[in-house]
Amino acid sequence: MSEQLSQPAERQKPSMFLLDGMALVFRSYYALMSARMQTQSGFPTGAIYGFINTILKIEETYRPDFLVVAFDSKEKTFRHEAFPDYKAQRPAPPTDLIQQLGKILEIVPAMGIPMLKRPGFEADDIIGTLTKKFEDRCNLFLVTPDKDFAQLVHDGVKLLKPARQNDEFLLYGAEEVKSHYGVYPEQFLDMLALMGDSSDNIPGAPGIGPKTAANLINRYGSIAKIYENLYELRPRARESLLKSKAALENGRFLMTIKTDMDIDLTLDDLKQKSPDLDFLLPLFEELEFRTLAARFKSSPEKKNEQAASDADLEFNFGANVDPNFQFAKKQPRDLGNYTLIQDEDDLNQLAEKLGSLKEFAFDTETTSLTTLDAELVGISFSFAPGEAFFVYCAESALSRETAIRVLKPILENPEIGKIGQNLKYDMLVLKNYGVRVQPVRFDTMLASYVLNPDKTHNLDDLAADHLGLETVKYADLVGKGKSEKSIYEVEPKTLSDYACQDADVALQLKNVLEKALGENEPLKKICEELEFPLVGVLADMEHEGVRLDVAVLKTLSETLGTELGRVSKIIYDAAGEAFNLDSPKQLSEILFEKLKLPAKRRTKTGYSTDVRVLEELAESFPVAKQILEYRSLQKLKSTYVDALPNLVHPKTGRIHTSFNQHIAATGRLSSSNPNLQNIPIRTEIGREIRGAFVPSDAHHTLLSADYSQIELRIAAELSGDPTMLGAFQNREDIHSTTAKLIFETDEVTKDMRRKAKEVNFGVLYGIMPFGLAQRLDISQAEAKEIISQYKEKYPMIFSYLEGILDKARASGYVETLLGRRRYIRDLNSKNFSIRSAAERAAINTPIQGTAADMIKKAMLGIASDIHKQSLRSRMILQVHDELLFNMHESEVDILPELVQREMIEAAKAIGIRNVPIEVEVGTGANWIEAH
DNA sequence: GCTCTGGCTTA
DNA sequence: GTAAGCCAGAGCC
């Protein structure tokens, strides 16, 4: 049939609107919650009013031929039978909503609108079945705020979703579904299954959200196809999917809307009848819906009347409220017994209680994630599960000064343990108000990290994992992105419930996690003796900050700018045109298509233009060398030289990084915003950037102390290899010694030493002939030969590595010398590259992790000494094997020795017995000189 | 505005 | 070959 003929026929079809009753009622309830509509006698009416208006709005806007409302049944559904946890977390609806629902169920039929309900089924299934039944004869519009219905969309079936802000509707066909959710309706169920649905308690694959789910579905087409190609995925996604296979099948079943219920109805049965005004008008009178009543009186079917007049909203807020009817309180939800405190008397009472405790959990609410900019809005406290208090000290009767004055002695009391999630943040916020929080009794984020570093450790995930609790998210309070509102705009009680929940959950988590730690003594000690005490040390370092000489960078920026202009001109001349050198895509088009240079490797999206490719090309094509130069200069300029000055905090004139204690799977710290652990050093021009890192003032210098060859020493210690231990004991240059041994010569050339150095590093990273060959640009056969020489000379290194792998295969984890654990999956994978990657991680982790434990221990010792001796010098940075200090001139004779001693002492403390540890110290007027 | 990719910096 | 974080571009919203 031609388009012309089908189109008018299509238009002739009657329209049928299927309304998801319960979901729309819920929406009305929450949309009108703040209006607090109620009758003079206190009966709540917002949800009723909103829902009727939704129906009228549809009738007026679309003039439907058929309009049907479907409701869920109260009985358990077949979904509950198949999956007992289905919707298990969902709190009972608020009682004031239930009251209103009763009225709605009377009003809808009285309006003459067909209303359907079936025991054991949800509204979704009724709508799905009617859709299937009538889609050939009608144009269907599914009216619902629930995205799950997108699975039903196809030709002639569209979704009509109430818009977020106004009372308009958004129409979703297949294309709109795709553009809004990322997949087409046919694939929608697979995507839903991957994401799961926390409100229905359907798990999905942990860590896979809407974005990733849509991406995966688009890349592979379906869940089944994703599982066929698991090995291509990143480890986190892969592991999540492996664990979730059964859950996904189950979730997909639960989220499938039934389309084959036994519903015996004809189009005639669904015709709308005239409204029963004898019933409706008195009821509207009772509910005080005056404009609505007027509309029905005059002409219930008329379309040109004004929609929802505000008149109905005008009466009854405030003045005439029945004092016994407490609207806001009637929301039991899943919340505990939470109390909002906003006056001094209540605060004093709370303080007295807190002061008598051995420990409690707390959490601060602020205006910013950047601690130096964060204003304190309130603090929540919990000392019994399910119970919490929120001290609101902004824009209220209780001033921040009063709150701080009363709480400071308690927060600083060394006898009262502090429990919390990411306490470093709270400590830094409170530091701005002169409060030095101590001691860290338990940090739930760090405990989770120590128990299993590869997991995520945010509070919401921890609550879900360990307590089975669905928490209120911060975004639920203030929204997200553009429309995010200020925390000051949140109702104090709402904010209080959120804040209280966080303290409450932290306390409950502490109980669960502490028990888990109790089953592993070393992990418990790592928490209590390493990670928890380190929190305060890191907070101090971040707070202290590093001074930056902006003038140095400004000069450097100008030099780099000139150089970049010069180099890019040369490249453009060679290319015959100007283009964006920062775009790998454009660059590869120029190089490999226009200039026809030989392509070496491919990436996912095109030809690779990375260092290795360009270096290879540089031998024959000078332009490649110029591009490499451009790249390195541009990197330095954009990432460091131009970016760092903007990060100098206006209040302190210094740079304040964040040291993340819960990210690196091996136990290392990481640094971000900005990352001060990857400031350049290798190239001459890069090193100049370090010249901008300077002491705080003329009375200070920088002191740098770094462990020499720490990871190789640890490998020697852990393996007990006598040759390598001997080399270190004799203070030999380890790379030269290795060269001597593997090349069997006393005349070690520079090149031999370079190769030996690579091999030594290779050992730490889980050496493989292939990798070494690549790295040294030699054949795999040569690489194999070198490795076998190494094995012969340092036999115990290799037997140690084999032992690690055996143990890991048997137990599923590897450990540092202190007993810090990391679980390693995939050691038995049939896929070579996956298995090899797992083996390399297994080998590297004990070595890298032991070094991390050691320097953490050293930092604690140093911080303690500085405190005890009331020194004026400060530790300011940690770069994995190096510590940097802002050293006061009066302490130049004690600090270097103190630092060196503590760093060496730390090695002993974590159990290093056989290998000597060397620490190199240096001082200077900037980081280049000190290092 | 958000997320991913390629590329590059450190230990 | 291990462990991280950040930048610009690109693609989608």
Side-chain angles (χ1 to χ4, degrees):
Chain A
M1 201 195 286
S2 77
E3 289 289 329
Q4 285 103 320
L5 285 175
S6 71
Q7 283 295 4
E10 202 71 30
R11 225 173 276 145
Q12 300 290 327
K13 274 195 193 172
S15 63
M16 180 183 284
F17 285 67
L18 303 174
L19 276 65
D20 183 1
M22 203 55 218
L24 291 168
V25 169
F26 257 102
R27 193 174 175 279
S28 300
Y29 173 75
Y30 286 111
L32 292 175
M33 182 134 79
S34 58
R36 307 215 169 177
M37 277 183 72
Q38 52 185 287
T39 63
Q40 305 250 355
S41 62
F43 188 85
T45 57
I48 309 175
Y49 181 83
F51 185 64
I52 296 175
N53 264 314
T54 304
I55 294 179
L56 293 180
K57 174 92 187 171
I58 290 167
E59 293 193 322
E60 281 161 11
T61 315
Y62 301 99
R63 318 246 75 223
D65 295 298
F66 296 93
L67 190 152
V68 179
V69 182
F71 277 98
D72 303 336
S73 75
K74 274 187 223 125
E75 287 79 8
K76 299 239 158 186
T77 68
F78 68 93
R79 292 188 178 84
H80 292 96
E81 277 167 31
F83 183 52
D85 283 353
Y86 182 61
K87 296 197 175 176
Q89 307 278 12
R90 191 173 280 193
T95 48
D96 56 315
L97 174 57
I98 293 174
Q99 289 174 295
Q100 297 185 70
L101 190 60
K103 297 287 180 199
I104 290 169
L105 295 178
E106 292 174 6
I107 290 171
V108 172
M111 286 172 75
I113 295 168
M115 188 174 86
L116 298 177
K117 228 175 156 181
R118 285 287 187 280
F121 292 94
E122 296 179 49
D124 309 34
D125 304 313
I126 297 173
I127 291 174
T129 302
L130 292 183
T131 300
K132 183 92 179 177
K133 199 171 168 98
F134 295 117
E135 64 188 6
D136 294 337
R137 277 176 283 169
C138 300
N139 280 320
L140 283 156
F141 297 89
L142 316 184
V143 187
T144 176
D146 182 355
K147 66 178 183 326
D148 292 12
F149 282 81
Q151 62 185 276
L152 296 173
V153 168
H154 60 109
D155 289 348
V157 181
K158 290 190 159 82
L159 221 57
L160 201 58
K161 266 178 71 110
R164 229 163 245 194
Q165 314 94 331
N166 49 34
D167 56 352
E168 301 295 316
F169 291 91
L170 300 169
L171 194 61
Y172 285 70
E175 287 306 322
E176 287 80 13
V177 168
K178 163 78 177 166
S179 71
H180 202 264
Y181 298 109
V183 300
Y184 282 105
E186 305 82 74
Q187 304 161 315
F188 203 80
L189 259 176
D190 275 4
M191 187 183 79
L192 283 180
L194 282 172
M195 289 160 52
D197 185 337
S198 55
S199 72
D200 287 349
N201 208 23
I202 298 172
I208 295 188
K211 300 281 175 196
T212 318
N215 283 336
L216 289 172
I217 296 290
N218 281 318
R219 179 144 27 120
Y220 299 104
S222 67
I223 290 184
K225 283 275 183 326
I226 295 171
Y227 275 95
E228 282 171 27
N229 293 287
L230 268 189
Y231 61 89
E232 292 181 7
L233 305 185
R234 290 155 183 229
R236 278 193 202 215
R238 185 169 62 236
E239 284 161 27
S240 170
L241 284 163
L242 274 174
K243 277 192 234 156
S244 312
K245 194 159 189 198
L248 294 195
E249 263 173 50
N250 186 33
R252 196 180 190 283
F253 164 74
L254 292 174
M255 289 192 263
T256 303
I257 295 174
K258 261 185 116 54
T259 57
D260 59 353
M261 283 172 61
D262 189 18
I263 297 181
D264 194 18
L265 285 172
T266 65
L267 273 182
D268 265 356
D269 298 326
L270 297 178
K271 274 195 180 144
Q272 193 163 348
K273 303 190 185 69
S274 41
D276 179 357
L277 296 179
D278 292 341
F279 178 83
L280 284 180
L281 294 178
L283 184 56
F284 286 173
E285 201 61 42
E286 184 191 322
L287 296 171
E288 297 165 15
F289 290 167
R290 284 164 215 156
T291 41
L292 273 185
R295 281 170 82 178
F296 274 78
K297 247 183 265 178
S298 62
S299 155
E301 315 258 325
K302 276 241 176 77
K303 68 296 184 161
N304 57 351
E305 281 182 54
Q306 226 191 323
S309 136
D310 288 341
D312 280 322
L313 287 169
E314 274 170 18
F315 44 86
N316 256 339
F317 349 140
N320 292 330
V321 180
D322 175 0
N324 295 317
F325 184 79
Q326 289 180 302
F327 198 100
K329 238 184 156 179
K330 294 220 166 186
Q331 290 164 54
R333 284 194 245 163
D334 242 344
L335 293 175
N337 184 12
Y338 297 157
T339 308
L340 168 60
I341 287 179
Q342 24 189 3
D343 71 61
E344 205 174 336
D345 288 346
D346 289 349
L347 173 62
N348 285 327
Q349 220 177 320
L350 173 66
E352 194 174 323
K353 175 71 187 170
L354 291 173
S356 73
L357 297 168
K358 230 175 78 222
E359 59 187 43
F360 60 78
F362 80 101
D363 182 40
T364 56
E365 300 305 324
T366 72
T367 54
S368 170
L369 283 175
T370 308
T371 50
L372 272 166
D373 302 328
E375 285 173 29
L376 185 65
V377 176
I379 312 179
S380 55
F381 297 91
S382 176
F383 42 86
E387 210 172 303
F389 299 83
F390 180 58
V391 178
Y392 189 68
C393 60
E395 318 216 315
S396 75
L398 188 58
S399 75
R400 196 177 287 143
E401 289 66 35
T402 307
I404 296 283
R405 175 172 49 75
V406 174
L407 294 170
K408 180 176 155 91
I410 296 160
L411 290 166
E412 294 187 339
N413 187 336
E415 302 301 318
I416 304 176
K418 312 304 185 301
I419 298 160
Q421 163 80 2
N422 190 15
L423 280 169
K424 174 156 63 67
Y425 175 82
D426 305 280
M427 292 170 88
L428 282 166
V429 169
L430 288 164
K431 237 180 222 283
N432 295 333
Y433 296 96
V435 180
R436 297 189 48 93
V437 174
Q438 64 159 342
V440 173
R441 164 72 178 80
F442 202 94
D443 189 312
T444 50
M445 179 178 82
L446 298 179
S448 167
Y449 170 68
V450 168
L451 283 165
N452 189 346
D454 283 298
K455 281 195 161 177
T456 57
H457 315 289
N458 63 70
L459 191 68
D460 296 329
D461 284 357
L462 295 184
D465 280 4
H466 300 283
L467 306 174
L469 262 178
E470 183 70 21
T471 48
V472 178
K473 312 286 186 294
Y474 186 72
D476 298 340
L477 260 62
V478 297
K480 249 189 182 165
K482 208 170 50 182
S483 56
E484 184 169 328
K485 52 180 180 175
S486 152
I487 192 166
Y488 292 123
E489 291 172 55
V490 180
E491 284 292 312
K493 181 59 185 162
T494 311
L495 182 62
S496 169
D497 281 344
Y498 167 80
C500 284
Q501 180 179 268
D502 279 1
D504 177 16
V505 164
L507 182 73
Q508 295 190 43
L509 279 171
K510 177 248 175 189
N511 293 330
V512 176
L513 295 171
E514 188 161 56
K515 201 165 165 210
L517 286 169
E519 286 161 24
N520 186 303
E521 191 57 29
L523 294 187
K524 189 163 185 253
K525 284 184 84 164
I526 286 169
C527 278
E528 291 174 356
E529 295 173 21
L530 212 58
E531 303 295 3
F532 295 166
L534 193 64
V535 173
V537 174
L538 295 177
D540 286 341
M541 290 167 68
E542 293 182 13
H543 188 78
E544 186 72 22
V546 189
R547 185 170 160 226
L548 197 72
D549 186 341
V550 177
V552 170
L553 294 182
K554 187 154 182 277
T555 313
L556 199 51
S557 177
E558 280 156 15
T559 314
L560 285 170
T562 316
E563 270 302 281
L564 280 163
R566 186 183 63 80
V567 178
S568 45
K569 184 162 185 316
I570 297 173
I571 299 168
Y572 296 152
D573 284 346
E577 64 179 297
F579 61 100
N580 188 345
L581 266 167
D582 295 330
S583 161
K585 190 167 167 259
Q586 291 185 33
L587 178 63
S588 91
E589 278 159 18
I590 295 282
L591 289 182
F592 305 119
E593 286 167 30
K594 184 165 182 195
L595 300 181
K596 302 257 184 309
L597 266 53
K600 305 287 175 184
R601 279 184 305 116
R602 293 195 62 96
T603 64
K604 268 184 229 173
T605 51
Y607 297 117
S608 171
T609 63
D610 70 10
V611 188
R612 275 169 49 208
V613 170
L614 292 175
E615 273 174 354
E616 203 176 328
L617 290 170
E619 290 168 24
S620 325
F621 309 95
V623 69
K625 186 143 194 240
Q626 307 289 354
I627 294 168
L628 282 168
E629 181 166 9
Y630 174 89
R631 280 251 178 93
S632 85
L633 297 176
Q634 176 63 26
K635 173 80 181 176
L636 295 176
K637 189 167 187 289
S638 66
T639 307
Y640 305 103
V641 178
D642 291 345
L644 288 175
N646 295 324
L647 296 164
V648 171
H649 198 281
K651 282 185 202 160
T652 64
R654 300 183 189 177
I655 292 200
H656 303 267
T657 184
S658 290
F659 286 108
N660 311 300
Q661 218 177 333
H662 64 290
I663 302 282
T666 53
R668 272 190 180 178
L669 298 177
S670 85
S671 156
S672 58
N673 303 312
N675 181 355
L676 295 186
Q677 291 180 323
N678 72 347
I679 302 301
I681 190 165
R682 286 194 225 277
T683 64
E684 180 49 41
I685 182 129
R687 188 157 48 237
E688 286 185 38
I689 295 169
R690 292 196 170 210
F693 286 76
V694 294
S696 59
D697 57 41
H699 298 291
H700 290 79
T701 49
L702 292 185
L703 168 70
S704 164
D706 69 285
Y707 284 116
S708 157
Q709 306 294 356
I710 193 61
E711 293 194 358
L712 267 182
R713 286 178 204 263
I714 287 170
E717 169 78 22
L718 295 178
S719 67
D721 186 277
T723 314
M724 195 177 280
L725 280 173
F728 280 124
Q729 279 151 6
N730 297 329
R731 304 197 64 180
E732 290 165 27
D733 172 74
I734 190 66
H735 302 314
S736 299
T737 302
T738 299
K740 233 181 255 174
L741 292 167
I742 61 179
F743 298 115
E744 298 186 323
T745 173
D746 285 335
E747 299 295 305
V748 175
T749 63
K750 269 203 158 161
D751 189 59
M752 287 158 81
R753 186 181 180 278
R754 177 183 67 82
K755 284 183 172 161
K757 185 174 171 181
E758 293 290 352
V759 185
N760 278 333
F761 276 107
V763 167
L764 305 176
Y765 299 151
I767 198 162
M768 299 257 176
F770 178 78
L772 186 67
Q774 295 260 308
R775 196 72 193 170
L776 290 177
D777 198 18
I778 56 177
S779 73
Q780 258 197 77
E782 284 175 76
K784 246 185 160 145
E785 174 57 27
I786 289 180
I787 292 171
S788 95
Q789 277 296 316
Y790 196 100
K791 205 166 179 169
E792 201 173 288
K793 307 298 179 185
Y794 297 124
M796 288 190 57
I797 291 275
F798 278 78
S799 54
Y800 159 74
L801 298 180
E802 270 309 320
I804 290 283
L805 289 180
D806 287 342
K807 218 188 122 199
R809 287 189 199 101
S811 68
Y813 60 84
V814 292
E815 290 178 309
T816 66
L817 197 55
L818 270 192
R820 183 193 297 276
R821 264 188 200 187
R822 178 182 182 188
Y823 293 90
I824 309 281
R825 315 179 88 256
D826 295 330
L827 284 172
N828 293 312
S829 171
K830 290 189 180 114
N831 180 307
F832 173 80
S833 75
I834 290 177
R835 187 176 65 248
S836 306
E839 289 171 353
R840 294 192 297 268
I843 285 173
N844 178 255
T845 296
I847 300 169
Q848 190 182 114
T850 299
D853 291 343
M854 192 194 299
I855 196 162
K856 281 178 171 175
K857 191 87 198 159
M859 291 165 77
L860 289 178
I862 293 164
S864 160
D865 291 349
I866 287 179
H867 179 74
K868 273 188 217 146
Q869 301 179 33
S870 303
L871 299 184
R872 301 171 75 170
S873 303
R874 293 287 175 266
M875 181 154 61
I876 54 179
L877 289 180
Q878 188 252 44
V879 192
H880 308 308
D881 64 3
E882 172 186 8
L883 295 172
L884 192 68
F885 298 82
N886 186 41
M887 177 168 64
H888 192 260
E889 59 190 3
S890 64
E891 294 162 3
V892 293
D893 292 331
I894 53 173
L895 193 68
E897 189 276 331
L898 179 157
V899 167
Q900 200 169 34
R901 177 171 48 77
E902 286 290 359
M903 288 174 78
I904 291 167
E905 200 61 38
K908 290 200 193 92
I910 67 161
I912 288 185
R913 298 281 174 268
N914 301 311
V915 76
I917 299 297
E918 289 185 19
V919 173
E920 292 170 6
V921 296
T923 60
N926 61 50
W927 200 359
I928 310 175
E929 289 182 18
H931 189 77

